[in-house]
Amino acid sequence: MSFKIGQLKIGNDIAVIIIENNQVYKINKGGPQRTLDILRDCVGPNALSEKIRDIKKNFGFSLLTSEIKDLDKLGRIEKPLYPPEIWAVGVTYKRQALEHDKDLEKRKSDSKGIYSYVYSSERAEVFFKGFNRTCVGNLSSLFLRSDSKQTMPEAEMVLVLGEDGLPIGYTLGNDLTAWDIETESPLFLNQAKIWDGSSSIGPFIIPADQIVDPYLCMLRCVVKRDGKEIIKSSGETSQLKRSIEELCYFLKLHNKVPCGTILFTGTCCVIPHNFALEDNDEVIVSMSQIGELRNNILRHKVVDKNYNRR
Ligand code: DO4
Ligand code: MG
């Protein structure tokens, strides 16, 4: 049995959905009503598949539709889970390290070479990427900061972590980055990475045992403007510099993240560094095993300054 897991809002209720081939099922009454409840206590790559099989045996599934393309007619596709914490690792792909450093040189930045340094260093770069509230799901809007003129998409494979902080599933993510803020000073990284609507995940979670080899996945990132493709980038996880266990090790080091935490693994889809997302663009992140994560782009309204500089 091979399947994906998601959440669908039907009226005021959230239902966990299981997608098998083209068919979408809902867990029957009495069963778990959130994916986070299913993930609890899961440890190891087979845990999520086994849990779903147990839930099917104990509560049963009901067919919602035999056509996955009709899913959004039945309700609103939610994030595949509401993550308690969102973390990310950065510069795990050489192309990204090189392009970032090249652009810093062009901008005559004082931070010359920092990305290549981090790419090769023993310590992985781990940064906080927010909470459930800063992250959106498939077909929801991602937001640009009003104080950034250059925000770029980052298409990434995302780990869904079990009780022991190792992956029990995978999903896709977009790690929006306010590149102009990040390049102004590395100390502005938090503002360059976290705001309301700064990341998306979805459309579904695939249990870890269904990804034959996580280092053999192809990701694509497309940006459409006025319906036309203006950016097209792709990359393979075979180019990931560090092992998945190594990334999780650095995240968990003296930092016990809760089950259901997600970890963005860095972007392999490098975007030209003069590119900036605009209002009403659409970003599509895809990987054949998981599907397509689509988000349109909106910009936050300017917030008046209610202070004077001392
Ligand atoms: O600080 C840099 C983060 C880079 C990043 O997010 C990535 O490589 O995906
Ligand atoms: Mg990233």
Side-chain angles (χ1 to χ4, degrees):
M1 173 174 155
S2 113
F3 54 84
K4 298 174 197 166
I5 306 160
Q7 299 189 119
L8 188 70
K9 189 167 188 188
I10 309 169
N12 287 327
D13 295 329
I14 309 281
V16 176
I17 52 170
I18 312 293
I19 300 115
E20 219 180 327
N21 302 319
N22 220 3
Q23 317 221 296
V24 185
Y25 299 89
K26 177 176 167 260
I27 298 172
N28 288 342
K29 264 214 164 77
Q33 299 304 303
R34 298 283 187 279
T35 40
L36 204 49
D37 298 330
I38 297 176
L39 306 188
R40 209 155 284 137
D41 303 325
C42 281
V43 174
N46 305 322
L48 196 47
S49 293
E50 282 167 11
K51 198 74 167 280
I52 296 291
R53 278 194 284 270
D54 281 351
I55 292 168
K56 187 174 186 180
K57 207 165 82 192
N58 295 332
F59 302 99
F61 295 167
S62 308
L63 185 69
L64 275 178
T65 173
S66 336
E67 288 292 339
I68 192 166
K69 65 175 172 42
D70 293 339
L71 193 57
D72 56 347
K73 291 187 194 126
L74 297 175
R76 204 181 78 172
I77 302 169
E78 286 285 302
K79 278 171 270 193
L81 88 153
Y82 303 127
E85 295 182 18
I86 307 174
W87 293 83
V89 287
V91 275
T92 47
Y93 290 89
K94 194 169 194 169
R95 273 172 66 208
Q96 179 80 334
L98 295 177
E99 290 303 315
H100 270 12
D101 277 339
K102 221 163 69 187
D103 203 48
L104 284 189
E105 291 228 3
K106 250 195 236 154
R107 291 170 196 242
K108 304 211 181 325
S109 157
D110 292 336
S111 317
K112 235 169 98 186
I114 57 169
Y115 296 100
S116 299
Y117 175 83
V118 166
Y119 175 79
S120 314
S121 79
E122 172 77 27
R123 183 188 293 278
E125 178 202 12
V126 178
F127 60 91
F128 192 57
K129 184 65 195 175
F131 302 100
N132 180 46
R133 73 168 172 83
T134 60
C135 177
V136 304
N138 186 39
L139 305 177
S140 291
S141 299
L142 277 167
F143 278 80
L144 307 176
R145 295 180 65 107
S146 65
D147 56 346
S148 166
K149 289 189 171 59
Q150 194 194 4
T151 294
M152 303 204 288
E154 290 188 2
E156 306 193 12
M157 188 167 82
V158 173
L159 312 178
V160 179
L161 304 180
E163 206 65 64
D164 62 350
L166 285 167
I168 52 174
Y170 296 89
T171 189
L172 290 174
N174 190 342
D175 166 25
L176 279 196
T177 300
W179 181 236
D180 50 351
I181 296 179
E182 181 171 333
T183 52
E184 189 183 339
S185 165
L187 298 187
F188 294 154
L189 188 70
N190 273 301
Q191 286 133 296
K193 290 288 192 181
I194 311 165
W195 62 89
D196 297 333
S198 56
S199 69
S200 60
I201 55 166
F204 306 116
I205 294 171
I206 179 160
D209 58 354
Q210 287 177 39
I211 294 276
V212 178
D213 184 346
Y215 304 104
L216 274 185
C217 298
M218 162 78 91
L219 274 85
R220 290 178 204 281
C221 182
V222 167
V223 181
K224 289 187 176 176
R225 187 166 292 165
D226 301 323
K228 284 194 209 96
E229 270 183 21
I230 52 162
I231 293 283
K232 208 172 167 181
S233 175
S234 61
E236 287 181 25
T237 55
S238 59
Q239 301 304 305
L240 187 61
K241 157 86 172 173
R242 299 170 193 267
S243 71
I244 285 171
E245 292 74 22
E246 186 182 352
L247 302 179
C248 296
Y249 170 86
F250 280 104
L251 167 66
K252 291 188 298 175
L253 196 56
H254 308 304
N255 181 33
K256 190 176 174 348
V257 294
C259 183
T261 292
I262 57 171
L263 181 64
F264 282 68
T265 58
T267 191
C268 53
C269 298
V270 178
I271 301 290
H273 278 46
N274 57 2
F275 176 74
L277 285 168
E278 287 182 8
D279 254 22
N280 301 315
D281 284 352
E282 184 185 23
V283 187
I284 305 145
V285 174
S286 61
M287 182 172 127
S288 62
Q289 296 92 328
I290 300 177
E292 280 187 350
L293 170 63
R294 287 176 175 264
N295 299 102
N296 69 307
I297 302 290
L298 294 176
R299 185 177 290 277
H300 280 299
K301 286 199 180 83
V302 173
V303 178
D304 289 336
K305 289 183 180 165
N306 60 353
Y307 66 90
N308 294 312
R309 290 197 75 185
R310 297 183 74 192

